[in-house]
Amino acid sequence: LEKRVTVSSEEISNLRENAIGAREEEVCIRENGAYGREMHAQQRESSALVREQEIRDAHISNVAQEGFNSKLRKANEHLVVASVQLQILAEELERSKAEMTHLATHDFLTDLPNRMQLFDRIGQTIALMKRHSTKLAVLFLDLDRFKIINDSLGHAIGDKLLRLVAQRLQSAIRGSDTVSRHGGDEFVLLLSDVGTTEALAVTVEKIHKILTAPYCIEGNDLQIGATIGISMFPKDGEDAATLIRNADTAMYYAKESGRNKHKFFKKEMEVREVELQGIEAGLYQALDKEQFVLFYQAQISLENGVITGAEALIRWRHPSGGILLPACFVPVAEHCGAIAPIGRWVLREACRQAKSWLDAGLTLDVIAVNISAREFENDDFLENVRSVLQETGLTADHLELELTETVLMKSFECTAVTLHALRAMGVKVSIDDFGTGYSSLSYLKRFPVDTIKIDQSFLRDISSIEDDILVNAIIGIGKGLHHHVVAEGVETPNQLAFLRKNHCPAVQGFYLNIPMIAEEFADVLKEGIPAHILNEL
Ligand code: C2E
Ligand code: MG
Ligand code: MG
């Protein structure tokens, strides 16, 4: 214990210092530990932040990737759709190109090669035939009676008939030959490598036979004929246009000699064709040069012998051909369209003349003017009638328009509308050449008609019992329907007596009065029908 007590103060202070040093050291260690912990915590925190940032970045990149992927998918889908559409469009384009080529070379109704392709094929065949020095034939075929069927039974049946005709024609020829539709009811056939004319005539007969066999369309039994004109290479032409034109000319001649016939082209026909072209060219000049003139023929009442009407009949004072009758130029004028201006001139001139006779105190119930189909169909037809009446001052009830059955039957609806408009204006209408056209009698009760003109063909042979019955029947129909009736083409006292016996209301013909110029006709109007004829009435 002493010993312990004897611990020097120095030692104690050393101990104390040591203890303090140890404590300081401990504090220092503790501080270091705390610092280390703090650093550690900071490190942990910052690595957590880094991790969080990493997670956030990864998420953002995932979203971006997904967005990108979906956009890519969509773009891909669009690309697929677009390329499919492109493919469809390309196919459609190809199809429409093929269709357009087909349409440009085929007839829409029958699907036969059209005129363009026919020209092409004739050209090719000619080249081939030249090498093999063989013949080819071009047949121009026109259907007989087609217009009548088309007009009376309607266009739908007409179209079906044309399709059947096309099929039959195709069945009648060899695969190497061509049938084409030229337009309307006209077909052109190209027969290559034909033998003799006799052999060709046999083929043509075969075509005739096949075409004329009956057709049954929607319960209608129909029969048609065909007229065929034939031209041959190399004799009748060396190119498609000439061969077709000459076949057409031959067809025209075949028609003139009766229907359902065929004719081979001959050089003389071309001469006539040139003549027709000359007439065509002259027609237009004739109007300007005032070469047309109207003749007038009286219509006479059988009840009292009075002149009731005058028919205006056109004549052409041809500079080199004398006075031409309408048969020489009216059909050409109708064909080339010149009939429209000529018809307008006739109407104006006839109305002007009638008004001047009436103003001079002469008596005339009506002036009758012939109207062609092409005039009647013109859009401005009614307007022209109206303006001519206005210009000339003739009252409508003094004008009678003569229309043939064929004109009336062309289009039932249009005809009815025009006839009713004429009736509303007060203009009269007569049916010319009654009984010669193909028509249904029912139109008589549906169309507003004033007069029936019995065609002169019925009077030609009135001693025959059939004509006697027919003339009587026509007079009966006319009177029964309260129409005025005029018999045309009275040439003999016999015919006159016959008509009087059958109570025909009025007559017109050379026996009573020949067509004459206006000045002479004015005298007839003044003096009346000569007494010796009046006595027979
Ligand atoms: P259409 O209308 O039937 O005229 C009657 C025709 O018979 C006239 O012939 C007339 O001269 C003739 N004729 C009169 N009496 C007799 C007779 O007793 N015996 C004979 N055999 N014939 C007689 P045209 O003047 O040669 O006229 C023929 C046809 O031409 C007319 O027949 C008519 O369809 C047409 N036509 C005449 N003038 C015109 C016209 O201005 N415009 C139009 N579009 N056609 C006309
Ligand atoms: Mg007439
Ligand atoms: Mg007539």
Side-chain angles (χ1 to χ4, degrees), residues 246-448:
N246 288 344
D248 186 10
T249 305
M251 190 280 294
Y252 185 78
Y253 277 81
K255 272 241 150 107
E256 275 195 342
S257 65
R259 280 157 195 270
N260 216 8
K261 291 241 168 72
H262 71 260
K263 262 203 193 315
F264 284 88
F265 175 76
K266 286 195 197 105
K267 267 273 169 272
E268 306 88 87
M269 294 178 178
E270 204 169 34
V271 176
R272 165 100 177 109
E273 198 62 12
V274 170
E275 227 174 76
L276 287 179
Q277 279 166 17
I279 291 178
E280 199 176 308
L283 278 172
Y284 286 100
Q285 292 176 10
L287 262 182
D288 296 336
K289 294 186 177 162
E290 299 181 359
Q291 290 168 354
F292 290 119
V293 60
L294 290 186
F295 276 41
Y296 299 88
Q297 187 180 31
Q299 295 174 348
I300 299 143
S301 160
L302 279 186
E303 280 154 25
N304 51 21
V306 168
I307 296 175
T308 53
E311 179 174 7
L313 297 160
I314 192 169
R315 303 287 180 263
W316 182 4
R317 287 193 213 271
H318 198 271
S320 56
I323 289 194
L324 298 185
L325 290 174
C328 302
F329 63 91
V330 166
V332 185
E334 282 170 347
H335 182 74
C336 72
I339 195 68
I342 294 173
R344 277 196 290 272
W345 176 83
V346 171
L347 187 68
R348 181 167 291 111
E349 178 57 18
C351 291
R352 188 201 60 75
Q353 184 59 69
K355 170 74 173 146
S356 122
W357 283 329
L358 291 170
D359 286 349
L362 300 170
T363 324
L364 186 72
D365 283 352
V366 290
I367 179 85
V369 178
N370 293 285
I371 304 290
S372 291
R374 280 185 79 157
E375 294 174 68
F376 188 66
E377 286 161 3
N378 249 352
D379 289 343
D380 65 354
F381 173 70
L382 284 170
E383 200 36 57
N384 185 51
V385 173
R386 201 171 284 129
S387 70
V388 164
L389 287 173
Q390 207 167 22
E391 271 171 44
T392 57
L394 185 75
T395 49
D397 59 330
H398 280 110
L399 176 63
E400 183 161 83
L401 301 180
E402 295 199 0
L403 300 154
T404 62
E405 286 165 298
T406 324
V407 174
L408 290 175
M409 293 308 292
K410 272 205 152 176
S411 158
F412 192 91
E413 296 306 322
C414 296
T415 302
V417 170
T418 312
L419 292 187
H420 279 288
L422 287 172
R423 169 67 57 96
M425 276 162 69
V427 173
K428 297 193 173 84
V429 167
S430 74
I431 304 175
D432 204 353
D433 307 340
F434 184 83
T436 56
Y438 175 95
S439 60
S440 107
L441 279 181
S442 67
Y443 78 91
L444 273 181
K445 67 172 189 218
R446 297 213 227 151
F447 289 158

